[in-house]
Amino acid sequence: MRAGLVGGKGVPTTVTAHPAAFVTLTAPSFGPVHSRRTGAGGGVMACRPRRDGGTCPHGRPVSCTVRHAADDTRLGQPLCPDCFDYAGAVLWNAHAPELWRRFTMAFRRYLARSAGLRVADLREALTVSFAKVAEYQRRGLVHFHAVIRLDGPGGPDATPPSWATLDLIKAAVDHAAGAVAVSTSAAGDVPAKTHVWGSQIDVRPITTTGDLTDTAVAGYIAKYATKAAECVGTLDRRIRPTDDPADLPVSGHARRLITECLRLAALEEFAGLRLAEWAHMLGFRGHFSTKSRHYSVTLGRLRADRIEHNRRQHDISTGRLPFDDDQVLVIAHWRYLGQGMTPGEALLTAALTGKPLPTLTTGTERRTCPNSS
């Protein structure tokens, strides 16, 4: 991720001069949940205060005046689980990868139209490079963080055109996020739905100095990489056919999302979404991290470099290749040979053979060593 911002691993350092932005795309609301909000001064604000209070159709309060702590288990839980649209949340997670794909297409179309080019001709003037990670929110929905960089033709080695600016990236993101949608038809008791991005869209420029540097972005990505669906209170393994959702060690909100995945998976219209297989991921079956080929070094090249390094080290250790005299060659090879008898086995052997237990003499001390064979 960092190599695509400052260079390295085959990426030239001149890439720092290319316009790049840190983009966040979120999911829409499927019902009010407990949240922790902070004010401009950093103080924690009330969760969901409402002057007139009131209750929902199920008789639960629609207001919450609690100032939640960061580790409050209620964070992300619906104020009323019966009002929360669990079917919509699961289907949105399942279609989030397709929403991202359509977003990238609409993003490129906007750039081409802004430059007076056809989409097919855009690659002759500009290359859109990106790296994206998925992060689970506590309410059980994924949102995407992406680094979007504009390069010249062919990738980071080429200088982008003068009209490729940060303002253009922001305008293209705002347009593409609002222009794409994925529709699902009605099935069973689930009505037809149109899945779109949420209204909270953030575009922040990445610079070598300032609030959002390449180092800060790399730190954010590392944090997102360690956050899986478990932060929602779900499992870190797939749901087995023998599992009873009622007995799973998960939160109540996660249990209802998992149950909804299993329920929708039984409908023929949603069979292609493989919701039962990805119920532990609450319907999301995309990769946690993806990137375009031109963004930075490819994973295939990294794997090839590791294989070549291991092969060379093996050839050196076996004498097929020479090594420099000033290098330290460490050859560590372990092979399991076996183990002695346990104390019980030693006693049983002595009783059957009539021989005394093996002994071990160390200096002036003579003791029985039942673990020797």
Side-chain angles (χ1 to χ4, degrees), residues 136 228-237 239 249-251 254 258 279-282:
Y136 274 89
E230 301 93 86
C231 69
V232 187
T234 183
L235 298 177
D236 59 355
R237 63 168 177 84
I239 308 297
V250 298
S251 67
I258 291 173
H280 66 298
M281 299 294 284
L282 312 182

Side-chain angles (χ1 to χ4, degrees), residues 39-297:
V44 180
M45 303 172 61
C47 174
R48 290 185 175 273
R50 294 188 62 168
R51 183 175 303 174
D52 54 351
T55 59
C56 71
H58 304 96
R60 295 185 177 91
V62 297
S63 173
C64 177
T65 58
V66 177
R67 289 176 170 83
H68 295 290
D71 58 350
D72 195 325
T73 57
R74 289 172 292 181
L75 291 175
Q77 306 297 306
L79 270 66
C80 176
D82 294 327
C83 290
F84 194 85
D85 183 8
Y86 283 96
V90 166
L91 291 176
W92 193 94
N93 275 346
H95 289 90
E98 177 62 17
L99 265 178
W100 169 259
R101 188 185 72 87
R102 298 189 183 189
F103 167 83
T104 59
M105 295 170 59
F107 184 88
R108 290 185 173 93
R109 285 196 298 267
Y110 184 90
L111 295 181
R113 186 165 63 250
S114 299
L117 302 171
R118 296 187 308 165
V119 176
D121 298 332
L122 180 63
R123 66 183 61 183
E124 302 298 328
L126 182 74
T127 299
V128 179
S129 301
F130 68 85
K132 176 262 295 178
V133 294
E135 180 194 13
Y136 274 89
Q137 296 174 306
R138 292 193 179 186
R139 57 182 175 141
L141 292 153
V142 296
H143 60 181
F144 293 142
H145 303 279
V147 174
I148 300 179
R149 191 188 67 216
L150 301 184
D151 303 323
D157 294 317
T159 303
S162 58
W163 48 265
T165 62
L166 287 170
D167 290 338
L168 180 61
I169 292 179
K170 185 179 188 315
V173 169
D174 291 338
H175 166 78
V180 298
V182 180
S183 298
T184 54
S185 58
D189 60 346
V190 181
K193 294 180 180 293
T194 300
H195 308 285
V196 297
W197 294 111
S199 58
Q200 295 181 338
I201 299 172
D202 186 37
V203 183
R204 301 172 61 188
I206 302 174
T207 59
T208 54
T209 60
D211 296 334
L212 191 62
T213 63
D214 53 272
T215 302
V217 171
Y220 292 151
I221 299 302
K223 181 186 73 171
Y224 302 144
T226 62
K227 292 180 63 178
E230 301 93 86
C231 69
V232 187
T234 183
L235 298 177
D236 59 355
R237 63 168 177 84
R238 289 191 172 182
I239 308 297
R240 307 185 188 97
T242 56
D243 287 330
D244 185 352
D247 296 333
L248 294 176
V250 298
S251 67
H253 182 54
R255 179 175 289 105
R256 293 194 64 161
L257 287 169
I258 291 173
T259 303
E260 193 66 17
C261 285
L262 300 177
R263 186 181 76 87
L264 296 181
L267 300 178
E268 182 179 355
E269 292 82 354
F270 301 136
L273 299 179
R274 302 167 61 193
L275 292 174
E277 297 179 44
W278 297 99
H280 66 298
M281 299 294 284
L282 312 182
F284 178 70
R285 65 187 191 280
H287 294 289
F288 100 91
S289 175
T290 57
K291 71 179 190 64
S292 61
R293 179 171 295 274
H294 291 294
Y295 177 79
S296 64
V297 61

